[in-house]
Amino acid sequence: MDFKLVVLPGDGVGPEVVAEAIKTLEAVSKKFGHNFRLDRRLVGGASIDAEGVAVSEETVTRCQKADAVLLGAVGGPKWDDPLAKVRPEDGLLELRKRLGLFANLRPVKVFPMLVDASNLKPQIIEGVDFIFVRELIGGLYFGRPKRRWQTSRGRRAVDSMAYSEQEIERIVRVGFELAQRRQRKLISVDKANVLESSRLWRQVAIEVARDYPDVSLEHMLVDACSMRLIQNPRYLDVLVTENTFGDILTDEASMLAGSMGMLPSASLAGVPQSGVRTFGLYEPIHGSAPRHAGKNEVNPIATVLSAAMMLRYSLAREKEAEAVEKAVENVLDDGYRTYDIMSEGKTKVGTAEMGDLIARKVSGQ
Ligand code: IPM
Ligand code: MG
């Protein structure tokens, strides 16, 4: 089959990890007889430097016409001035908003051979396998008013955590749909003891639950959830939450998997259904890690696994997605590790070597 992909490497380590995901896709295309047409564009700081904007109209349009988008990371100290008019992150946020990517799926799976790579005790994290559904285009990130101003008594700033019932309903539904295909247990994370937007969230979640009588719904306060994540993560299966809570909790959750370099993500414009193509943007959850850029040392697995999610959700190629996931597992089984997941007795490799090993496994399967 023929697929049109927009590739946005971005800043910092973005281009390095995206290159390895593309290597993997090339192996997939040979093995399964697909043709991936790649359209490389700029986003973030790279785009600010070259085009003066964090993402150009042309790039947004091309994304809209593609089957899926693969992104590396954005940001870096060069563009970090708090008074800057345009920031690399604006490019990512604009893409999410303009492409309608309201559902951010962040699976957290602890690979058995990496239980020693985490700071947490193996008996806590063994067998951990859950998924966060993060609302991605509402809440504090986009709510109005959002501004900073001068008053006679000093500077003030405001961000708004705003949600409509429609926005809540569509994301909670994604949670229920995924829960139906897993353990039929959905945890909705909020701060309903304090926030009005959370009280609406909880109410809507309860209403939507009537359509899913086979799924049990539990409410968890976000502070308690941050504790549960490291206290008893095996308890979790599908969690749904608003934008900012999801941002924070998923960084925390990545530590269960040993490293931020292990966690992929999919940002979708609809409810994922098996065998159906849902438009989406795929990126690792980690940032641009400027200190590591250009050193061929970071872990490309999060991006490679993001490409696997792209095969599954936007291209409806389940077999191919599983082949990539299996290849990653096999390479880890063989004892290869990037620095972030390195442990005694294993073989340390760089970014490109890790990508080569995974691509070779895909070809050889
Ligand atoms: C993430 C990142 C982004 C976010 C940043 C880069 C804007 O932290 O995808 O989790 O906050 O959503
Ligand atoms: Mg984040």
Side-chain angles (χ1 to χ4, degrees):
M1 285 176 78
D2 212 43
F3 297 110
K4 231 165 54 185
L5 309 178
V6 171
V7 178
L8 306 170
D11 309 318
V13 300
E16 293 170 61
V17 292
V18 162
E20 302 316 310
I22 289 173
K23 249 184 221 171
T24 311
L25 287 174
E26 276 161 4
V28 168
S29 84
K30 284 210 191 82
K31 168 111 186 155
F32 294 88
H34 301 308
N35 179 26
F36 297 110
R37 275 183 291 139
L38 307 181
D39 183 7
R40 289 165 210 266
R41 307 283 304 173
L42 300 175
V43 70
S47 175
I48 293 175
D49 288 353
E51 299 171 351
V53 288
V55 64
S56 68
E57 271 308 307
E58 173 69 16
T59 299
V60 174
T61 308
R62 288 186 189 215
C63 290
Q64 285 165 338
K65 291 184 186 151
D67 292 309
V69 182
L70 181 66
L71 187 141
V74 296
K78 182 175 174 195
W79 308 280
D80 250 357
D81 177 1
L83 295 176
K85 283 263 171 316
V86 51
R87 303 174 50 85
E89 290 77 5
D90 297 341
L92 183 55
L93 298 183
E94 179 159 354
L95 277 171
R96 288 173 178 174
K97 191 74 171 179
R98 298 271 305 275
L99 301 174
L101 306 171
F102 68 92
N104 183 217
L105 309 189
R106 297 189 163 183
V108 180
K109 200 169 161 181
V110 175
F111 286 93
M113 56 302 228
L114 292 185
V115 287
D116 295 319
S118 171
N119 291 346
L120 286 122
K121 295 194 188 89
Q123 63 264 35
I124 301 286
I125 58 169
E126 249 157 27
V128 161
D129 179 2
F130 60 85
I131 183 165
F132 261 105
V133 180
R134 169 189 175 195
E135 199 291 324
L136 203 59
I137 54 176
L140 283 175
Y141 279 59
F142 297 94
R144 301 280 155 179
K146 179 187 205 70
R147 67 188 187 100
R148 177 150 44 143
W149 71 99
Q150 185 74 45
T151 74
S152 55
R153 308 221 325 261
R155 288 165 293 178
R156 284 181 71 85
V158 63
D159 292 286
S160 307
M161 193 186 278
Y163 273 105
S164 69
E165 62 174 294
Q166 290 79 10
E167 286 173 307
I168 299 169
E169 181 185 334
R170 68 178 177 183
I171 191 70
V172 167
R173 269 191 201 284
V174 173
F176 277 107
E177 296 281 335
L178 291 183
Q180 271 187 330
R181 284 176 244 156
R182 295 177 54 116
Q183 291 179 20
R184 298 165 190 271
K185 245 175 48 176
L186 177 65
I187 297 174
S188 168
V189 181
D190 63 36
K191 186 69 186 170
N193 53 348
V194 176
L195 302 177
E196 206 50 55
S197 56
S198 277
R199 288 192 271 268
L200 178 62
W201 182 284
R202 191 174 281 211
Q203 212 178 342
V204 172
I206 291 167
E207 288 160 13
V208 175
R210 292 189 204 120
D211 294 341
Y212 301 88
D214 53 334
V215 177
S216 76
L217 171 67
E218 176 182 342
H219 307 282
M220 199 179 275
L221 294 173
V222 61
D223 44 354
C225 182
S226 75
M227 178 198 66
R228 268 323 216 5
L229 268 174
I230 50 173
Q231 180 217 29
N232 184 13
R234 255 193 309 270
Y235 176 77
L236 311 169
D237 189 47
V238 182
L239 303 101
V240 63
T241 193
E242 71 86 41
N243 203 346
T244 305
F245 297 163
D247 178 45
I248 298 168
L249 293 173
T250 53
D251 264 27
E252 185 190 356
S254 74
M255 285 298 105
L256 302 169
S259 162
M260 297 255 284
M262 292 299 298
L263 288 206
S265 88
S267 305
L268 304 177
V271 181
Q273 283 166 292
S274 76
V276 176
R277 286 161 67 166
T278 307
F279 179 77
L281 178 148
Y282 299 82
E283 56 175 322
I285 83 148
H286 65 71
S288 59
R291 280 187 302 123
H292 296 281
K295 297 184 180 160
N296 185 38
E297 64 184 14
V298 293
N299 188 347
I301 290 179
T303 314
V304 170
L305 291 175
S306 299
M309 292 185 87
M310 176 175 85
L311 289 163
R312 171 170 297 122
Y313 295 118
S314 284
L315 311 183
R317 310 310 308 172
E318 178 62 31
K319 260 210 326 262
E320 290 81 338
E322 282 170 17
V324 172
E325 288 163 351
K326 193 89 210 139
V328 168
E329 226 174 289
N330 290 155
V331 168
L332 293 172
D333 260 336
D334 289 349
Y336 295 104
R337 304 282 188 271
T338 41
Y339 83 93
D340 55 316
I341 49 173
M342 182 63 189
S343 60
E344 223 187 296
K346 304 299 177 202
T347 311
K348 194 163 150 192
V349 294
T351 312
E353 292 75 17
M354 184 55 98
D356 288 338
L357 288 161
I358 297 168
R360 210 171 307 145
K361 286 282 184 197
V362 170
S363 312
Q365 264 168 23

